[in-house]
Amino acid sequence: MMNLFVNYYQRPIGQYDFIEVVILFLIYVFLCMFVCKLIECIRVLAAVAWEPGKPLVIEEVEVAPPQTMEVRLKILFTSLCHTDVYFWEAKGQTPLFPRIFGHEAGGIVESVGEGVTDLKPGDHVLPVFTGECKECRHCKSEESNMCDLLRINTDRGVMLNDGKSRFSINGQPIFHFVGTSTFSEYTVVHVGCIAKINPAAPLDKVCVLSCGISTGLGATLNVAKPKKGSSVAIFGLGAVGLAAAEGARIAGASRIIGVDLNPKRFDEAKKFGVTEFVNPKDYDKPVQEVIAEMTDGGVDRSVECTGSINAMISAFECVHDGWGVAVLVGVPNKDDAFKTHPMNLLNEKTLRGTFFGNYKPRSDLPSVVEKYMNKELELEKFITHEVPFSEINKAFEYMLQGDGLRCIIRMDA
């Protein structure tokens, strides 16, 4: 091969045979492609979690270009969800570090990989922890949003395309989190996990729709489906529960009963349409019996947003027989078991579960954004704090102290 290059400079072009010309051309193309890939690799700032429960460290990270069916995004705003904290603490979960967390965000498409046809640089988007490939049976079904290919996988820290990370520091791979990793100025996401939205929508507000708020809202509007004038009980008044209450308000429920062990949350919940409050600790009998007495036999709908198995049982047993529907949103511990008397089912109470509020990310999230743009949905009241990216650990402090609902992290500050 070396002789070929030496001869290249010693012979006139007309003396090359066909094979030599082809080899030189292929080498030239390969070198061009290699250099282009190096150029496309960018250095950005990202908040890296090196160990469980330890403060994130702002590091300079290399972000590789998007591969087939991938998109590289510039993240403008991100927020902290309790799921980030849960896996950052790694209590009872498979620890996977170093890692870049973050999955509620809004940004702009910077570049696209091969095969991406419905997104282009400059598009405003929301990355989502679950996806919609539009090809599997779930995606083609009107009754499911649980994509076979892109369903959430908290243990996978690499991209589907090649099983590698797009993040690195001095050659050391940094793991992804639920396919989004938005605690970085730039990130790479599978195209099926990106919802293209109205460019007029303020990303510092609608970014919260990419996880918790949509989950609670959809649990009520898409699954519980309360009728106008009906009664709804919401178990857990965190961000997801209050989003469920917001859904009940939008649906026109006349009674929205908030159930929570923390009385400090009650005043805040009034902003979301909650009309009555119940603290289970104030009674010496099961809270489902308390609610049944308050509502002449039970509420029409209930939505459970805590992950507590006892709250799940109470949410199911507090709905009215004949037509009551209970929707489970919270994720229980892996060893929990749901126990209720079969007569509750025979008496025509309905128990349902939901994942991401039954929203298909690419197909449905744009319309949820439009609800906000049309002033049907209020998002500002979910946003209680804002910090610059350099102070991202403050967002974790707020969450751990139970102070506020959502903290927006400005990536440009």
Side-chain angles (χ1 to χ4, degrees):
M1 184 64 72
M2 182 61 69
N3 289 337
L4 184 62
F5 281 105
V6 172
N7 291 337
Y8 173 80
Y9 293 103
Q10 294 178 343
R11 288 183 290 164
I13 188 67
Q15 294 182 9
Y16 283 97
D17 61 35
F18 178 76
I19 298 298
E20 289 174 327
V21 171
V22 170
I23 292 174
L24 284 170
F25 176 77
L26 291 176
I27 292 172
Y28 173 78
V29 171
F30 174 81
L31 289 174
C32 287
M33 292 176 63
F34 180 75
V35 170
C36 284
K37 291 301 181 185
L38 287 178
I39 292 173
E40 291 176 11
C41 206
I42 59 176
R43 291 180 177 272
V44 307
L45 295 179
V48 179
W50 290 99
E51 297 179 65
K54 297 295 178 65
L56 307 188
V57 181
I58 304 296
E59 304 272 15
E60 186 176 66
V61 175
E62 287 188 351
V63 184
Q67 303 300 310
T68 302
M69 300 306 288
E70 295 175 0
V71 179
R72 190 160 64 187
L73 307 178
K74 180 178 183 180
I75 300 298
L76 298 180
F77 303 94
T78 186
S79 62
L80 180 65
C81 172
H82 188 267
T83 302
D84 294 306
V85 177
Y86 186 60
F87 284 90
W88 165 71
E89 291 179 322
K91 296 178 179 178
Q93 300 297 324
T94 303
L96 193 60
F97 295 88
R99 203 170 200 180
I100 297 174
F101 287 99
H103 63 285
E104 279 190 358
I108 297 175
V109 174
E110 180 260 357
S111 58
V112 301
E114 182 181 350
V116 177
T117 58
D118 54 351
L119 289 173
K120 64 183 185 303
D123 285 342
H124 286 218
V125 297
L126 301 180
V128 186
F129 66 90
T130 185
E132 180 185 357
C133 72
K134 296 193 175 183
E135 298 296 331
C136 71
R137 291 180 64 188
H138 283 277
C139 287
K140 291 181 177 180
S141 168
E142 294 182 359
E143 300 180 39
S144 174
N145 67 335
M146 302 185 73
C147 177
D148 283 331
L149 177 67
L150 300 169
R151 194 179 306 182
I152 184 174
N153 185 329
T154 57
D155 291 333
R156 185 176 62 231
V158 294
M159 299 299 291
L160 282 172
N161 182 56
D162 57 3
K164 296 180 180 179
S165 173
R166 301 291 175 262
F167 300 109
S168 64
I169 297 178
N170 298 323
Q172 178 186 1
I174 307 298
F175 292 115
H176 294 248
F177 179 63
V178 295
T180 52
S181 293
T182 60
F183 293 166
S184 174
E185 292 177 321
Y186 285 79
T187 188
V188 177
V189 181
H190 191 285
V191 66
C193 296
I194 299 174
K196 180 180 176 181
I197 63 169
N198 184 345
L203 290 173
D204 61 334
K205 304 296 188 300
V206 299
C207 65
V208 299
L209 290 174
S210 55
C211 183
I213 309 308
S214 293
T215 296
L217 185 74
T220 302
L221 294 179
N222 299 336
V223 187
K225 297 180 180 179
K227 297 178 181 178
K228 187 174 182 179
S230 61
S231 58
V232 180
I234 308 293
F235 285 74
L237 298 178
V240 176
L242 292 177
E246 181 78 352
R249 181 191 67 79
I250 292 172
S254 61
R255 297 181 71 180
I256 304 176
I257 303 170
V259 183
D260 202 292
L261 297 172
N262 184 357
K264 294 180 180 179
R265 290 180 169 177
F266 292 166
D267 284 338
E268 184 74 19
K270 293 177 183 178
K271 301 176 184 178
F272 299 84
V274 176
T275 58
E276 302 162 68
F277 308 98
V278 174
N279 186 336
K281 293 190 295 186
D282 293 340
Y283 301 88
D284 56 3
K285 56 185 173 183
V287 70
Q288 55 265 44
E289 295 181 13
V290 175
I291 293 174
E293 292 173 1
M294 292 171 59
T295 55
D296 191 22
V299 289
D300 301 307
R301 302 289 187 268
S302 71
V303 184
E304 185 283 323
C305 304
T306 71
S308 162
I309 197 68
N310 290 327
M312 292 179 179
I313 295 169
S314 296
F316 176 51
E317 295 184 353
C318 81
V319 297
H320 206 289
D321 56 10
W323 61 80
V325 178
V327 179
L328 306 186
V329 178
V331 179
N333 291 327
K334 62 179 181 178
D335 296 325
D336 283 339
F338 188 95
K339 181 179 179 180
T340 190
H341 198 283
M343 283 304 299
N344 286 311
L345 294 164
L346 295 174
N347 285 334
E348 300 181 11
K349 295 182 179 185
T350 299
L351 178 65
R352 296 199 59 183
T354 182
F355 174 70
F356 193 51
N358 276 41
Y359 286 121
K360 295 178 185 286
R362 299 164 78 183
S363 299
D364 298 334
L365 271 194
S367 64
V368 182
V369 170
E370 292 309 309
K371 283 183 181 293
Y372 169 75
M373 297 297 286
N374 296 331
K375 302 187 184 305
E376 299 172 47
L377 171 63
E378 300 174 21
L379 294 179
E380 286 81 359
K381 57 193 177 185
F382 288 98
I383 300 169
T384 53
H385 296 86
E386 183 178 301
V387 298
F389 184 42
S390 60
E391 299 178 10
I392 188 171
N393 287 301
K394 282 189 176 180
F396 280 76
E397 292 174 11
Y398 294 141
M399 180 72 74
L400 292 170
Q401 294 167 3
D403 186 9
L405 298 174
R406 280 294 184 266
C407 179
I408 299 298
I409 301 158
R410 302 183 67 93
M411 302 301 294
D412 60 352

